[in-house]
Amino acid sequence: MNTLIVGGGIMGMSIALELAARGDRVTVLEKAVPGAEASSAAAGMLAPQLEAHGAGPALTLGLESRKLYPAWVRRIEQLAGSGTGYRECGVLRFGPPEALAPVYRWQRELGLNVEQRDGALFFPDDHQVEPPRLMRALAGAAAKAGAQVRSGQVHEILPHAVDLGTERLEADAVVVAAGSWTSLVKGARVSPRALQPVRGQLVELHCRLSPFDETRTDGTVYLVSRGDGRVVCGSTMERTGFDKRVTASGIAGILNRAIALAPQLEHAELHSSWAGLRPWTEDELPIIGEGPMPGVHLATGHFRNGILLAPITAALISRRLHGEATGVDINPFRFDRFPT
Ligand SMILES: Cc1cc2nc3c(=O)[nH]c(=O)nc-3n(C[C@H](O)[C@H](O)[C@H](O)COP(=O)(O)OP(=O)(O)OC[C@H]3O[C@@H](n4cnc5c(N)ncnc54)[C@H](O)[C@@H]3O)c2cc1C
Protein backbone atom coordinates (compact mmCIF):
# COMPACT_ATOMS: atom_id res chain seq x y z
CA MET A 1 0.00 0.00 0.00
CA ASN A 2 1.16 3.54 -0.82
CA THR A 3 0.18 6.22 1.74
CA LEU A 4 0.66 10.00 1.91
CA ILE A 5 0.57 11.57 5.38
CA VAL A 6 -0.10 15.30 5.78
CA GLY A 7 1.85 16.61 8.79
CA GLY A 8 5.00 15.38 10.51
CA GLY A 9 4.01 15.87 14.15
CA ILE A 10 3.80 12.95 16.54
CA MET A 11 0.63 11.66 14.83
CA GLY A 12 2.03 11.77 11.31
CA MET A 13 5.39 10.27 12.27
CA SER A 14 3.86 7.53 14.49
CA ILE A 15 1.54 6.48 11.68
CA ALA A 16 4.47 6.58 9.23
CA LEU A 17 6.52 4.29 11.48
CA GLU A 18 3.62 1.85 11.94
CA LEU A 19 2.89 1.62 8.22
CA ALA A 20 6.52 1.50 7.09
CA ALA A 21 7.21 -1.29 9.59
CA ARG A 22 4.44 -3.30 7.86
CA GLY A 23 6.23 -2.84 4.53
CA ASP A 24 3.97 -0.07 3.13
CA ARG A 25 5.34 2.79 1.04
CA VAL A 26 4.90 5.96 3.12
CA THR A 27 5.64 9.63 2.45
CA VAL A 28 5.12 12.32 5.10
CA LEU A 29 4.45 15.79 3.69
CA GLU A 30 5.53 18.41 6.22
CA LYS A 31 5.44 22.19 5.77
CA ALA A 32 8.28 22.77 8.29
CA VAL A 33 10.29 19.90 9.81
CA PRO A 34 9.04 16.82 11.70
CA GLY A 35 8.16 17.78 15.28
CA ALA A 36 8.19 21.51 14.55
CA GLU A 37 4.96 22.26 16.39
CA ALA A 38 2.93 20.99 19.39
CA SER A 39 4.64 17.61 19.46
CA SER A 40 8.01 19.03 20.55
CA ALA A 41 6.44 21.76 22.72
CA ALA A 42 4.49 19.37 24.96
CA ALA A 43 5.35 18.60 28.59
CA GLY A 44 5.20 14.87 27.91
CA MET A 45 2.87 13.62 30.64
CA LEU A 46 1.40 10.19 29.86
CA ALA A 47 -1.42 10.62 32.31
CA PRO A 48 -4.84 9.23 31.38
CA GLN A 49 -5.86 8.85 35.03
CA LEU A 50 -4.93 12.41 35.93
CA GLU A 51 -6.66 13.80 32.82
CA ALA A 52 -9.91 11.80 32.86
CA HIS A 53 -13.18 13.10 34.31
CA GLY A 54 -14.73 9.63 34.48
CA ALA A 55 -15.33 6.46 32.48
CA GLY A 56 -15.78 7.00 28.72
CA PRO A 57 -14.02 6.93 25.36
CA ALA A 58 -11.25 9.38 26.37
CA LEU A 59 -10.23 7.24 29.34
CA THR A 60 -10.49 3.97 27.38
CA LEU A 61 -8.28 5.31 24.59
CA GLY A 62 -5.79 6.82 27.03
CA LEU A 63 -5.44 3.61 29.05
CA GLU A 64 -5.00 1.53 25.87
CA SER A 65 -2.28 3.87 24.63
CA ARG A 66 -0.49 3.99 27.99
CA LYS A 67 -0.36 0.19 27.90
CA LEU A 68 1.40 0.32 24.52
CA TYR A 69 3.99 2.93 25.57
CA PRO A 70 6.85 0.84 27.08
CA ALA A 71 7.16 -1.48 24.06
CA TRP A 72 6.53 1.41 21.63
CA VAL A 73 9.36 3.59 22.97
CA ARG A 74 11.67 0.55 23.23
CA ARG A 75 11.11 -0.15 19.51
CA ILE A 76 11.73 3.52 18.62
CA GLU A 77 14.87 3.71 20.76
CA GLN A 78 16.27 0.51 19.23
CA LEU A 79 15.59 1.62 15.66
CA ALA A 80 16.84 5.20 16.19
CA GLY A 81 19.74 4.38 18.52
CA SER A 82 18.75 7.30 20.80
CA GLY A 83 16.62 7.83 23.91
CA THR A 84 13.11 9.24 24.38
CA GLY A 85 13.26 10.16 28.08
CA TYR A 86 10.49 7.67 28.92
CA ARG A 87 10.36 7.46 32.72
CA GLU A 88 7.99 5.58 35.01
CA CYS A 89 7.53 8.17 37.74
CA GLY A 90 3.83 8.48 38.71
CA VAL A 91 1.77 11.64 39.24
CA LEU A 92 0.87 13.29 42.55
CA ARG A 93 -2.38 15.29 42.39
CA PHE A 94 -2.84 17.74 45.30
CA GLY A 95 -6.21 19.22 46.23
CA PRO A 96 -8.90 19.54 48.87
CA PRO A 97 -10.42 16.28 50.15
CA GLU A 98 -13.84 17.12 48.64
CA ALA A 99 -12.23 17.32 45.17
CA LEU A 100 -10.02 14.25 45.53
CA ALA A 101 -12.42 11.82 47.26
CA PRO A 102 -14.82 11.36 44.30
CA VAL A 103 -11.88 10.82 41.92
CA TYR A 104 -10.43 8.18 44.24
CA ARG A 105 -13.84 6.47 44.44
CA TRP A 106 -14.64 6.27 40.72
CA GLN A 107 -11.12 5.22 39.78
CA ARG A 108 -11.13 2.44 42.41
CA GLU A 109 -14.54 1.32 41.19
CA LEU A 110 -13.06 0.95 37.69
CA GLY A 111 -10.19 -1.08 39.16
CA LEU A 112 -7.56 1.60 38.45
CA ASN A 113 -4.39 1.92 40.48
CA VAL A 114 -4.72 5.03 42.69
CA GLU A 115 -3.40 5.69 46.19
CA GLN A 116 -4.43 8.18 48.89
CA ARG A 117 -1.56 10.28 50.25
CA ASP A 118 -1.50 13.19 52.69
CA GLY A 119 -3.51 15.91 50.87
CA ALA A 120 -3.04 14.22 47.51
CA LEU A 121 -3.82 11.29 45.23
CA PHE A 122 -0.98 9.31 43.67
CA PHE A 123 -1.41 7.73 40.22
CA PRO A 124 1.52 5.25 40.11
CA ASP A 125 0.88 4.22 36.47
CA ASP A 126 0.83 7.71 34.90
CA HIS A 127 4.31 8.40 33.52
CA GLN A 128 6.26 10.78 31.25
CA VAL A 129 8.42 11.12 28.17
CA GLU A 130 10.57 14.02 26.87
CA PRO A 131 8.79 15.20 23.70
CA PRO A 132 11.77 16.81 21.87
CA ARG A 133 13.84 13.64 22.40
CA LEU A 134 10.90 11.43 21.47
CA MET A 135 10.30 13.39 18.25
CA ARG A 136 13.96 13.17 17.22
CA ALA A 137 14.05 9.44 17.89
CA LEU A 138 10.67 8.85 16.22
CA ALA A 139 11.77 10.67 13.05
CA GLY A 140 14.96 8.56 13.02
CA ALA A 141 13.04 5.33 13.63
CA ALA A 142 10.49 6.08 10.88
CA ALA A 143 13.32 6.79 8.43
CA LYS A 144 15.06 3.53 9.42
CA ALA A 145 11.81 1.65 8.82
CA GLY A 146 11.67 3.15 5.32
CA ALA A 147 9.32 6.16 5.61
CA GLN A 148 10.20 9.24 3.54
CA VAL A 149 9.70 12.85 4.62
CA ARG A 150 9.17 15.51 1.98
CA SER A 151 9.02 19.29 2.54
CA GLY A 152 5.89 20.94 1.31
CA GLN A 153 2.61 22.47 2.30
CA VAL A 154 -0.50 20.55 1.30
CA HIS A 155 -3.21 22.88 -0.01
CA GLU A 156 -6.00 20.48 -0.74
CA ILE A 157 -7.04 16.89 -0.14
CA LEU A 158 -8.66 15.00 -3.01
CA PRO A 159 -9.88 11.39 -3.22
CA HIS A 160 -6.68 9.28 -3.01
CA ALA A 161 -4.54 12.41 -3.68
CA VAL A 162 -3.12 15.67 -2.35
CA ASP A 163 -2.49 18.99 -4.08
CA LEU A 164 0.77 20.73 -3.19
CA GLY A 165 -0.01 23.80 -5.29
CA THR A 166 2.62 23.05 -7.91
CA GLU A 167 2.12 19.30 -8.02
CA ARG A 168 -0.50 16.66 -7.40
CA LEU A 169 0.49 13.39 -5.70
CA GLU A 170 -1.62 10.23 -5.80
CA ALA A 171 -1.71 7.32 -3.37
CA ASP A 172 -3.86 4.43 -2.20
CA ALA A 173 -4.54 6.38 0.99
CA VAL A 174 -4.10 9.88 2.42
CA VAL A 175 -3.96 10.51 6.18
CA VAL A 176 -4.46 14.09 7.38
CA ALA A 177 -2.53 14.63 10.62
CA ALA A 178 -2.04 18.40 10.50
CA GLY A 179 -2.76 19.13 14.20
CA SER A 180 -4.13 22.64 14.85
CA TRP A 181 -3.89 23.45 11.12
CA THR A 182 -6.26 20.67 10.00
CA SER A 183 -9.23 23.00 9.48
CA LEU A 184 -7.08 25.07 7.06
CA VAL A 185 -6.48 22.08 4.77
CA LYS A 186 -9.05 22.33 2.01
CA GLY A 187 -11.05 19.13 1.55
CA ALA A 188 -10.34 17.77 5.04
CA ARG A 189 -13.80 19.10 5.93
CA VAL A 190 -13.07 19.85 9.56
CA SER A 191 -14.63 23.20 10.43
CA PRO A 192 -12.59 25.91 12.18
CA ARG A 193 -15.28 25.97 14.85
CA ALA A 194 -14.91 22.25 15.63
CA LEU A 195 -11.09 22.25 15.72
CA GLN A 196 -9.11 25.22 17.04
CA PRO A 197 -5.62 25.96 18.36
CA VAL A 198 -5.32 26.45 22.12
CA ARG A 199 -2.00 27.98 23.14
CA GLY A 200 0.00 26.51 26.01
CA GLN A 201 3.05 28.24 27.47
CA LEU A 202 5.72 26.36 29.43
CA VAL A 203 8.77 27.19 31.53
CA GLU A 204 11.78 24.96 32.24
CA LEU A 205 13.50 25.46 35.60
CA HIS A 206 16.84 23.98 36.60
CA CYS A 207 17.66 22.95 40.19
CA ARG A 208 21.00 21.67 41.48
CA LEU A 209 19.34 18.48 42.72
CA SER A 210 16.06 16.97 41.60
CA PRO A 211 13.45 18.50 43.95
CA PHE A 212 11.10 15.48 43.62
CA ASP A 213 10.91 12.45 41.40
CA GLU A 214 7.27 12.35 40.25
CA THR A 215 5.05 14.83 38.37
CA ARG A 216 3.15 17.12 40.73
CA THR A 217 -0.01 19.14 40.10
CA ASP A 218 -2.70 21.05 41.98
CA GLY A 219 -4.98 21.18 38.96
CA THR A 220 -3.90 24.74 38.05
CA VAL A 221 -0.20 24.08 37.30
CA TYR A 222 1.82 20.94 36.67
CA LEU A 223 5.48 20.35 37.48
CA VAL A 224 7.08 17.61 35.41
CA SER A 225 10.35 16.62 37.08
CA ARG A 226 12.80 15.03 34.65
CA GLY A 227 14.56 13.43 37.65
CA ASP A 228 17.88 15.24 37.03
CA GLY A 229 17.12 18.76 38.31
CA ARG A 230 15.10 19.91 35.27
CA VAL A 231 11.44 20.72 36.00
CA VAL A 232 9.01 21.64 33.22
CA CYS A 233 6.20 23.86 34.56
CA GLY A 234 2.97 24.48 32.67
CA SER A 235 0.75 25.53 31.30
CA THR A 236 -1.63 28.21 30.03
CA MET A 237 -4.80 27.46 28.04
CA GLU A 238 -5.38 30.41 25.69
CA ARG A 239 -7.40 30.99 22.55
CA THR A 240 -5.05 33.26 20.63
CA GLY A 241 -5.46 31.79 17.16
CA PHE A 242 -2.15 30.74 15.60
CA ASP A 243 -0.12 33.11 17.84
CA LYS A 244 2.67 31.13 19.57
CA ARG A 245 4.27 34.00 21.47
CA VAL A 246 5.37 33.59 25.09
CA THR A 247 3.92 36.39 27.24
CA ALA A 248 4.98 38.04 30.51
CA SER A 249 1.61 37.37 32.15
CA GLY A 250 1.56 33.75 30.96
CA ILE A 251 4.97 33.01 32.46
CA ALA A 252 4.30 35.04 35.64
CA GLY A 253 1.13 33.05 36.29
CA ILE A 254 2.86 29.71 35.80
CA LEU A 255 5.82 30.64 38.04
CA ASN A 256 3.64 32.01 40.86
CA ARG A 257 1.54 28.86 40.94
CA ALA A 258 4.62 26.61 40.59
CA ILE A 259 6.34 28.22 43.59
CA ALA A 260 3.12 28.06 45.64
CA LEU A 261 2.91 24.32 44.96
CA ALA A 262 6.65 23.62 45.40
CA PRO A 263 8.35 26.42 47.40
CA GLN A 264 11.75 24.75 46.87
CA LEU A 265 11.57 26.00 43.24
CA GLU A 266 11.85 29.64 44.35
CA HIS A 267 15.63 29.80 43.71
CA ALA A 268 15.69 27.53 40.67
CA GLU A 269 17.30 28.89 37.50
CA LEU A 270 14.84 29.97 34.82
CA HIS A 271 16.30 28.09 31.87
CA SER A 272 13.84 28.56 28.99
CA SER A 273 10.26 29.21 28.00
CA TRP A 274 8.24 28.33 24.92
CA ALA A 275 4.69 27.84 23.65
CA GLY A 276 2.79 25.47 21.36
CA LEU A 277 -0.69 25.03 19.92
CA ARG A 278 -2.89 22.16 21.10
CA PRO A 279 -5.45 20.91 18.57
CA TRP A 280 -8.67 21.32 20.58
CA THR A 281 -12.01 19.87 19.46
CA GLU A 282 -15.49 20.88 20.60
CA ASP A 283 -16.05 17.68 22.63
CA GLU A 284 -12.33 17.34 23.49
CA LEU A 285 -12.12 13.92 21.80
CA PRO A 286 -9.76 13.29 18.87
CA ILE A 287 -10.80 12.67 15.28
CA ILE A 288 -9.57 9.24 14.17
CA GLY A 289 -10.64 7.16 11.17
CA GLU A 290 -12.27 7.52 7.75
CA GLY A 291 -12.54 11.06 6.37
CA PRO A 292 -14.92 12.85 4.02
CA MET A 293 -13.96 11.11 0.76
CA PRO A 294 -12.68 7.75 -0.47
CA GLY A 295 -9.07 7.01 0.42
CA VAL A 296 -8.85 9.82 3.02
CA HIS A 297 -8.39 9.28 6.76
CA LEU A 298 -7.97 11.72 9.65
CA ALA A 299 -5.81 11.56 12.79
CA THR A 300 -6.05 14.88 14.58
CA GLY A 301 -7.64 16.90 17.41
CA HIS A 302 -5.78 15.18 20.26
CA PHE A 303 -5.81 18.41 22.30
CA ARG A 304 -3.98 17.95 25.67
CA ASN A 305 -3.14 14.26 25.20
CA GLY A 306 -1.55 13.78 21.80
CA ILE A 307 1.76 12.53 23.16
CA LEU A 308 -0.06 9.91 25.23
CA LEU A 309 -2.39 8.93 22.38
CA ALA A 310 0.18 8.56 19.56
CA PRO A 311 0.78 4.77 19.77
CA ILE A 312 -2.91 3.83 19.84
CA THR A 313 -3.79 6.35 17.10
CA ALA A 314 -1.07 4.93 14.85
CA ALA A 315 -2.27 1.38 15.51
CA LEU A 316 -5.92 2.27 14.83
CA ILE A 317 -5.18 4.09 11.55
CA SER A 318 -2.92 1.26 10.40
CA ARG A 319 -5.63 -1.32 11.15
CA ARG A 320 -8.33 0.72 9.33
CA LEU A 321 -6.10 1.15 6.27
CA HIS A 322 -5.46 -2.59 6.17
CA GLY A 323 -9.11 -3.53 6.70
CA GLU A 324 -8.50 -5.08 10.11
CA ALA A 325 -10.68 -4.89 13.23
CA THR A 326 -9.63 -1.95 15.40
CA GLY A 327 -10.14 -3.70 18.75
CA VAL A 328 -11.33 -0.33 20.16
CA ASP A 329 -14.68 1.34 19.37
CA ILE A 330 -13.69 4.31 17.20
CA ASN A 331 -17.25 5.59 16.64
CA PRO A 332 -16.87 8.37 19.26
CA PHE A 333 -13.94 9.71 17.17
CA ARG A 334 -15.74 10.01 13.80
CA PHE A 335 -14.99 13.24 11.88
CA ASP A 336 -18.67 13.76 10.95
CA ARG A 337 -19.90 14.12 14.54
CA PHE A 338 -19.34 17.88 14.05
CA PRO A 339 -21.32 19.98 11.57
CA THR A 340 -19.08 21.21 8.71
C1 LIG B 1 2.07 23.40 26.00
C2 LIG B 1 1.60 22.02 25.63
C3 LIG B 1 1.72 20.99 26.54
C4 LIG B 1 1.28 19.71 26.21
N1 LIG B 1 1.47 18.70 27.10
C5 LIG B 1 1.08 17.44 26.77
C6 LIG B 1 1.34 16.38 27.66
O1 LIG B 1 1.90 16.56 28.74
N2 LIG B 1 0.92 15.13 27.30
C7 LIG B 1 0.30 14.87 26.10
O2 LIG B 1 -0.05 13.73 25.84
N3 LIG B 1 0.07 15.88 25.23
C8 LIG B 1 0.44 17.15 25.54
N4 LIG B 1 0.21 18.18 24.68
C9 LIG B 1 -0.61 17.92 23.47
C10 LIG B 1 0.23 17.38 22.33
O3 LIG B 1 1.41 18.12 22.20
C11 LIG B 1 -0.59 17.43 21.03
O4 LIG B 1 -1.87 16.86 21.21
C12 LIG B 1 0.13 16.65 19.92
O5 LIG B 1 1.47 17.07 19.83
C13 LIG B 1 -0.56 16.85 18.58
O6 LIG B 1 0.23 16.21 17.62
P1 LIG B 1 -0.03 16.42 16.08
O7 LIG B 1 0.95 15.60 15.33
O8 LIG B 1 -1.48 16.19 15.80
O9 LIG B 1 0.17 17.99 15.85
P2 LIG B 1 1.51 18.86 15.65
O10 LIG B 1 2.62 18.40 16.50
O11 LIG B 1 1.11 20.29 15.78
O12 LIG B 1 1.92 18.54 14.17
C14 LIG B 1 1.17 18.94 13.05
C15 LIG B 1 2.17 19.06 11.91
O13 LIG B 1 1.47 19.29 10.69
C16 LIG B 1 2.22 20.21 9.91
N5 LIG B 1 1.28 20.81 8.98
C17 LIG B 1 0.18 21.54 9.28
N6 LIG B 1 -0.49 21.87 8.15
C18 LIG B 1 0.21 21.33 7.11
C19 LIG B 1 0.00 21.33 5.69
N7 LIG B 1 -1.05 21.95 5.12
N8 LIG B 1 0.91 20.70 4.91
C20 LIG B 1 1.99 20.06 5.48
N9 LIG B 1 2.22 20.05 6.82
C21 LIG B 1 1.33 20.66 7.63
C22 LIG B 1 2.78 21.20 10.94
O14 LIG B 1 3.90 21.90 10.45
C23 LIG B 1 3.12 20.26 12.11
O15 LIG B 1 4.46 19.79 12.04
C24 LIG B 1 0.68 19.46 24.95
C25 LIG B 1 0.60 20.50 24.02
C26 LIG B 1 1.06 21.77 24.35
C27 LIG B 1 0.99 22.86 23.33
Side-chain angles (χ1 to χ4, degrees):
M1 178 176 280
N2 175 10
T3 302
L4 294 169
I5 298 174
V6 183
I10 195 163
M11 292 310 149
M13 297 312 297
S14 307
I15 296 164
L17 171 60
E18 194 74 26
L19 294 175
R22 294 182 78 137
D24 291 0
R25 203 142 63 81
V26 188
T27 305
V28 177
L29 301 158
E30 167 54 54
K31 68 179 169 65
V33 290
E37 298 292 347
S39 301
S40 294
M45 289 181 287
L46 309 172
Q49 286 183 243
L50 173 68
E51 286 282 308
H53 303 298
L59 179 65
T60 304
L61 201 67
L63 293 175
E64 283 296 317
S65 207
R66 188 179 70 183
K67 229 186 289 167
L68 299 176
Y69 240 88
W72 188 67
V73 290
R74 225 173 11 250
R75 183 157 64 109
I76 290 170
E77 288 176 349
Q78 275 166 3
L79 274 168
S82 62
T84 60
Y86 176 73
R87 221 161 64 77
E88 303 200 337
C89 59
V91 173
L92 207 45
R93 163 73 160 99
F94 292 88
E98 62 276 15
L100 300 183
V103 178
Y104 179 77
R105 230 178 0 255
W106 74 253
Q107 296 217 356
R108 291 292 292 215
E109 274 166 23
L110 291 179
L112 298 170
N113 200 2
V114 51
E115 297 166 12
Q116 279 175 317
R117 299 276 172 92
D118 197 15
L121 292 181
F122 185 57
F123 304 111
D125 300 331
D126 278 356
H127 299 314
Q128 67 162 288
V129 74
E130 290 184 38
R133 292 178 67 192
L134 171 62
M135 281 313 298
R136 278 195 295 275
L138 178 57
K144 266 274 173 60
Q148 309 269 325
V149 176
R150 191 176 150 170
S151 287
Q153 176 153 359
V154 172
H155 293 282
E156 186 170 2
I157 307 299
L158 304 155
H160 300 283
V162 303
D163 181 5
L164 288 166
T166 50
E167 199 182 344
R168 183 179 160 149
L169 304 177
E170 302 204 339
D172 299 312
V174 174
V175 181
V176 184
S180 290
W181 293 264
T182 304
S183 66
L184 304 182
V185 180
K186 204 170 152 198
R189 261 191 250 158
V190 174
S191 89
R193 206 171 69 89
L195 191 146
Q196 294 174 19
V198 171
R199 181 168 74 186
Q201 302 186 40
L202 289 166
V203 185
E204 185 170 310
L205 301 179
H206 285 188
C207 308
R208 277 176 177 275
L209 299 172
S210 183
F212 37 82
D213 194 49
E214 70 289 320
T215 294
R216 295 188 172 188
T217 179
D218 61 1
T220 69
V221 68
Y222 52 76
L223 311 173
V224 183
S225 169
R226 300 295 188 211
D228 58 4
R230 291 174 297 151
V231 182
V232 173
C233 312
S235 178
T236 58
M237 294 266 276
E238 304 164 87
R239 284 178 196 275
T240 50
F242 291 93
D243 179 355
K244 280 195 305 181
R245 277 176 300 180
V246 172
T247 64
S249 66
I251 298 306
I254 293 169
L255 289 177
N256 284 332
R257 294 194 302 271
I259 292 167
L261 179 58
Q264 63 269 50
L265 294 178
E266 189 180 352
H267 299 293
E269 177 194 347
L270 199 159
H271 177 265
S272 51
S273 57
W274 65 93
L277 301 175
R278 307 174 183 91
W280 169 92
T281 64
E282 260 181 321
D283 59 6
E284 300 189 1
L285 293 176
I287 299 172
I288 303 171
E290 278 76 1
M293 55 185 98
V296 174
H297 286 67
L298 294 165
T300 187
H302 294 76
F303 190 35
R304 291 165 58 97
N305 289 296
I307 305 301
L308 166 69
L309 296 173
I312 190 71
T313 303
L316 292 172
I317 291 287
S318 163
R319 288 174 203 154
R320 291 307 291 171
L321 289 181
H322 284 268
E324 298 164 1
T326 52
V328 173
D329 177 16
I330 62 168
N331 266 311
F333 313 123
R334 292 176 62 93
F335 86 98
D336 55 7
R337 67 185 191 272
F338 304 116
T340 47

